[in-house]
Structure formats: C-alpha cells, structure tokens
C-alpha cells in the first residue's frame, strides 16, 4: 500500500497515541470513552474500589456499568494518581530515591565503570565499584541512557509533524487494516 509508507518512520506508540487523539468523526468505529475524569467519576472509582475490597480492576469493570468502557490500565493509572486521602487502598511508596548531583567526574567514572565491566550489568558495577554502592540500579541505568544518547546524537529521533493529510491517511490505513493493528500497518508498507 503506497500511502502507508509514510508510517514506517513512526513507532507503534506514536501511531497509537495520535490515532487515539483523532476525532470520532474521522474514526467512527472507535469506542467512545469518557475523555475527562470528573470529580464524580473519581468518587465513583474510589467507591468501586472500596466495595471490591481493593483494586480488583477486572471485577470493577465487570460489575460496575460506569467503568465498562475503561480498561484495567486506565483505572489503575487514575487510581494511583488520586490524592492519598481519597484512595485508601493505594499502595504507599516504600522509599523515595535520593537525588544525585551528577558531576562531570561522576559521569566519567560511570562511563569508565561500564567500559571496564564490558556492559551495563549494574549489579556488578555497584558491587565492584565503591563510588556507586549508594546508587540504585534505576539511577545508574537512566543516567547512562541519557549520556549515551548525548554521546551518540545520530540515535536521537527526528521530530515528526502531524498534518491533516497524514491524519487522514492514518485513519484510512486503520480502516483498511480493520482496526488499529500498528505492527501490521507498518509491516504492510515495507
């Protein structure tokens, strides 16, 4: 399909995100979901979780008609974002990460440690390098990913602009594929 070659430069999440934003008029087969969480919907969600005895999302979706059009991830995400006084069944974070001030010297030591270890086996780096023994694996991993992107600027993704024509082509491709099956849409155009 010639028109879909345009989508080969997009990732699946980018296509999915954009398609979800396109109006219902352009995509009539799309399920209608509430797009805004009102205080009333938030209250109903908290009541449903309390009634279920905890965040049992599948049961809440099956037994509560208000949330039939939502998926588990949407409910979980919203419940986690509610203030603690509303969401009584919300899990509390065990600990907050200590902020790290990454000095140029610390960055240099991190790069040397990765090169010496022959890769990003963070647990080994933490165990063998005294400098990083107070760091968590996510702290080291996220910093190393950021600096490796800076060191390899050719890996950065180009910004993409969605034009009305590109949006129309996206809707046509989804209709032709029978739904938003992004991998098939991308694959059919190679």
């Amino acid at each position: 399909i010639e028109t879909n070659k345009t989508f080969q430069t997009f990732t699946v999440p980018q296509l999915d995100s954009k398609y979800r934003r396109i109006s219902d008029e352009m995509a009539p087969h799309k399920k209608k979901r509430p797009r805004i969480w009102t205080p009333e919907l938030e209250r109903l969600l908290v009541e449903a979780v309390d009634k279920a005895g905890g965040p049992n999302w599948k049961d809440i979706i099956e037994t509560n008609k208000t949330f039939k059009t939502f998926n588990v991830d949407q409910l979980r995400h919203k419940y986690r974002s509610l203030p603690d006084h509303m969401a009584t069944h919300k899990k509390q974070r065990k600990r907050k990460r200590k902020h790290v001030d990454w000095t140029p010297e610390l960055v240099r030591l991190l790069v040397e440690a990765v090169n010496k270890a022959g890769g990003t086996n963070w647990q080994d780096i933490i165990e063998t390098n005294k400098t990083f023994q107070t760091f968590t694996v996510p702290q080291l991993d996220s910093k190393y990913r950021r600096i490796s992107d800076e060191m390899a600027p050719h890996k950065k993704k180009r910004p993409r602009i969605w034009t009305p024509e590109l949006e129309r082509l996206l809707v046509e491709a989804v209709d032709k594929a029978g739904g938003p099956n992004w991998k098939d849409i991308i694959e059919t155009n190679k």
Side-chain angles (χ1 to χ4, degrees):
I1 303 170
E2 182 122 354
T3 57
N4 292 346
K5 288 185 179 180
T6 326
F7 303 125
Q8 289 178 355
T9 60
F10 292 93
T11 64
V12 169
Q14 288 170 329
L15 289 172
D16 190 50
S17 173
K18 184 60 183 178
Y19 185 71
R20 289 174 188 259
R21 289 187 192 125
I22 295 175
S23 71
D24 291 321
E25 297 157 16
M26 289 181 71
H29 65 276
K30 188 176 170 184
K31 275 186 184 178
K32 293 190 179 195
R33 292 184 175 140
R35 296 188 185 269
I36 298 173
W37 280 90
T38 63
E40 175 66 13
L41 266 178
E42 290 175 353
R43 185 186 62 73
L44 290 172
L45 178 61
V46 170
E47 286 177 6
V49 171
D50 288 341
K51 186 178 178 184
N56 188 343
W57 306 119
K58 288 183 181 178
D59 280 352
I60 290 169
I61 290 169
E62 289 172 8
T63 59
N64 193 321
K65 69 178 183 177
T66 307
F67 301 112
K68 289 250 189 247
T69 60
F70 289 85
N71 64 39
V72 170
D73 290 333
Q74 290 169 323
L75 296 181
R76 182 186 304 123
H77 177 73
K78 183 59 187 176
Y79 192 74
R80 285 181 179 168
S81 71
L82 291 173
D84 290 339
H85 72 277
M86 284 182 73
T88 54
H89 293 280
K90 195 165 149 182
K91 289 182 181 174
Q92 299 298 319
R93 288 190 175 227
K94 292 183 179 161
R95 63 184 166 103
K96 289 186 177 181
R97 276 196 232 160
K98 182 182 164 192
H99 175 72
V100 178
D101 288 322
W102 286 95
T103 63
E105 176 64 13
L106 210 49
V107 170
R108 185 186 62 73
L109 290 172
L110 179 61
V111 171
E112 285 177 8
V114 170
N115 291 338
K116 185 178 177 185
T120 56
N121 186 341
W122 300 120
Q123 209 54 51
D124 284 350
I125 290 171
I126 290 170
E127 290 170 6
T128 58
N129 194 320
K130 288 183 181 179
T131 308
F132 300 114
Q133 287 180 347
T134 59
F135 289 74
T136 63
V137 169
Q139 285 172 325
L140 294 175
D141 188 51
S142 67
K143 182 60 182 180
Y144 188 74
R145 274 189 278 118
R146 266 186 263 127
I147 60 176
S148 64
D149 285 346
E150 290 166 11
M151 291 188 294
H154 63 280
K155 287 185 176 180
K156 290 186 179 179
K157 297 188 183 218
R158 297 172 302 211
R160 293 177 173 89
I161 299 170
W162 285 95
T163 62
E165 174 65 14
L166 198 53
E167 288 178 0
R168 186 187 59 73
L169 290 173
L170 177 61
V171 171
E172 286 176 8
V174 170
D175 288 340
K176 201 169 213 170
N181 188 343
W182 306 122
K183 289 184 181 179
D184 284 350
I185 290 170
I186 292 169
E187 286 294 317
T188 58
N189 304 303
K190 286 188 175 180

